[in-house]
Amino acid sequence: MKNNAKNVNKYLKTKLKGEPKLLYNAAGHLIVNGGKRLRPFMVMKSSQILKGKDSEALPAAAAVEMIHNFTLVHDDIMDNDEMRHGVPTVHNKFGMPIAILAGDVLFSKAYQLISTSNLSPEISSKLVARLAKACVDVCEGQLLDIGMASSKKIPSEAEYIKMIGKKTAALFDVSCSMGAICAKGKSKDIKNLSSFGKNLGIAFQITDDLIGIMGDPKITKKPVGNDLREGKKSLPILLAIKKAKGKDKTAILKAFGNPKTTKKELENSVKIIRSLGIEKTVRAQALRYAQLAKKSLRTYSGLSKDELISLLDFVVKRSL
């Protein structure tokens, strides 16, 4: 994965240059300061699984990473977050107007990369259509998330899955389908890899939300029970609220979305959530989507398939 990230980073640096320099420094700020490059990795491996050329998949891989970073810039603005990847967020460092423009540049450059690549017009058109749909899905998912956050109602598991299927999984889905398209894959191959990406994305977010409530602060760099205090309606939290009874439920609801809750109250709420067996339930859900993802690749073989399965296993088994 490191070698893949290195190639993508090198390519991104050459494409994120221009005048005024301040704008491009802001656009590249999060890219040069971290990120695992999971989505570009998935583009490249999905192309390789179908014997595609790396040179033809690289623009799509970089485009997906630009779109991902565009969403991060805007997410940080909406959430008023001050830090990401251990550095100041773009709007915190460069100011709101420049951050909005930086996000717009990342969004526009992504489509510019695809449309000016050495791929055929037919392939480029398919890539643009796929990426555009994914961007629409992400926006719809973001609004579903905002709606859930502002509502007093605790969402159902199905509503949560629908939201993360759009907000998070859409970019995992499009990464794999774009890789398949770059390799001139058949519709069946594109469908299989799209399914792999979507199910991996759902498993990724479910696991991420588990870490957000029960993760070790030394690893997550966030206080214990951070998502609970922020009132995030993630799967572990909505399952805990549904399952808890009496004073346990009262304790969780008191800490939920309460910025004034004490460290002791938070730790107690997380302890209660652990005692309810929520981790086991959520891990089982993530594993179910991981199995669906694996099933999508059952007809393929080779190193690239093995690397995608290894990524899937890593995503689902991440430690707390």
Side-chain angles (χ1 to χ4, degrees), residues 41-53:
F41 178 82
M42 292 167 72
V43 175
M44 301 303 287
K45 296 303 161 187
S46 296
S47 172
Q48 288 169 14
I49 213 171
L50 301 175
K51 313 300 180 201
K53 295 177 183 174

Side-chain angles (χ1 to χ4, degrees), residues 9 12 25-40 64-76 81-93 106 204 208 219-222 318:
N9 287 345
L12 280 166
N25 287 344
H29 175 63
L30 293 178
I31 290 173
V32 300
N33 280 296
K36 295 178 281 292
R37 309 289 182 260
L38 292 182
R39 294 154 193 82
V64 169
E65 186 63 16
M66 284 182 179
I67 292 293
H68 172 54
N69 278 271
F70 150 74
T71 66
L72 297 184
V73 172
H74 282 213
D75 266 3
D76 290 340
D81 284 338
E82 294 186 357
M83 300 293 288
R84 184 180 285 277
H85 300 328
V87 296
T89 50
V90 179
H91 70 276
N92 189 14
K93 183 176 173 69
L106 286 164
F204 173 91
D208 218 47
I219 299 170
T220 64
K221 304 287 189 289
K222 291 178 180 179
R318 280 177 297 165

Side-chain angles (χ1 to χ4, degrees), residues 2-213:
K2 283 182 181 177
N3 195 41
N4 183 79
K6 193 177 176 183
N7 292 337
V8 171
N9 287 345
K10 191 177 175 183
Y11 187 81
L12 280 166
K13 279 181 184 177
T14 65
K15 299 301 176 184
L16 275 176
K17 282 182 179 176
E19 294 291 339
K21 278 186 181 177
L22 181 61
L23 177 61
Y24 288 91
N25 287 344
H29 175 63
L30 293 178
I31 290 173
V32 300
N33 280 296
K36 295 178 281 292
R37 309 289 182 260
L38 292 182
R39 294 154 193 82
F41 178 82
M42 292 167 72
V43 175
M44 301 303 287
K45 296 303 161 187
S46 296
S47 172
Q48 288 169 14
I49 213 171
L50 301 175
K51 313 300 180 201
K53 295 177 183 174
D54 283 0
S55 59
E56 293 181 352
L58 194 55
V64 169
E65 186 63 16
M66 284 182 179
I67 292 293
H68 172 54
N69 278 271
F70 150 74
T71 66
L72 297 184
V73 172
H74 282 213
D75 266 3
D76 290 340
I77 289 170
M78 283 184 267
D79 297 341
N80 202 23
D81 284 338
E82 294 186 357
M83 300 293 288
R84 184 180 285 277
H85 300 328
V87 296
T89 50
V90 179
H91 70 276
N92 189 14
K93 183 176 173 69
F94 295 92
M96 194 73 75
I98 292 173
I100 292 169
L101 287 172
D104 292 348
V105 163
L106 286 164
F107 184 86
S108 305
K109 278 278 183 185
Y111 288 98
Q112 186 183 42
L113 277 187
I114 295 168
S115 55
T116 59
S117 68
N118 59 351
L119 296 165
S120 71
E122 184 189 357
I123 298 290
S124 293
S125 176
K126 283 183 180 178
L127 292 173
V128 166
R130 282 270 174 170
L131 192 55
K133 183 186 181 301
C135 289
V136 170
D137 283 342
V138 170
C139 292
E140 289 174 355
Q142 179 70 15
L143 192 63
L144 287 174
D145 195 17
I146 290 168
M148 282 182 188
S150 60
S151 171
K152 289 181 179 178
K153 179 177 165 278
I154 299 298
S156 67
E157 195 173 320
E159 287 170 326
Y160 164 85
I161 295 295
K162 182 184 177 183
M163 182 271 288
I164 65 169
K166 285 177 174 283
K167 184 180 174 180
T168 303
L171 281 189
F172 284 84
D173 175 340
V174 83
S175 296
C176 292
S177 58
M178 284 173 75
I181 291 166
C182 288
K184 304 174 184 68
K186 295 173 184 174
S187 58
K188 178 186 71 176
D189 296 318
I190 296 166
K191 188 178 177 181
N192 286 340
L193 283 151
S194 169
S195 173
F196 174 81
K198 180 162 189 177
N199 285 302
L200 186 152
I202 292 172
F204 173 91
Q205 191 59 55
I206 288 172
T207 308
D208 218 47
D209 285 344
L210 185 64
I211 292 167
I213 185 70

Side-chain angles (χ1 to χ4, degrees), residues 210 214 273-274 276-286:
L210 185 64
M214 296 183 185
I273 293 170
R274 283 187 192 279
L276 292 168
I278 297 300
E279 182 182 348
K280 188 180 177 183
T281 306
V282 174
R283 288 278 191 197
Q285 271 287 52

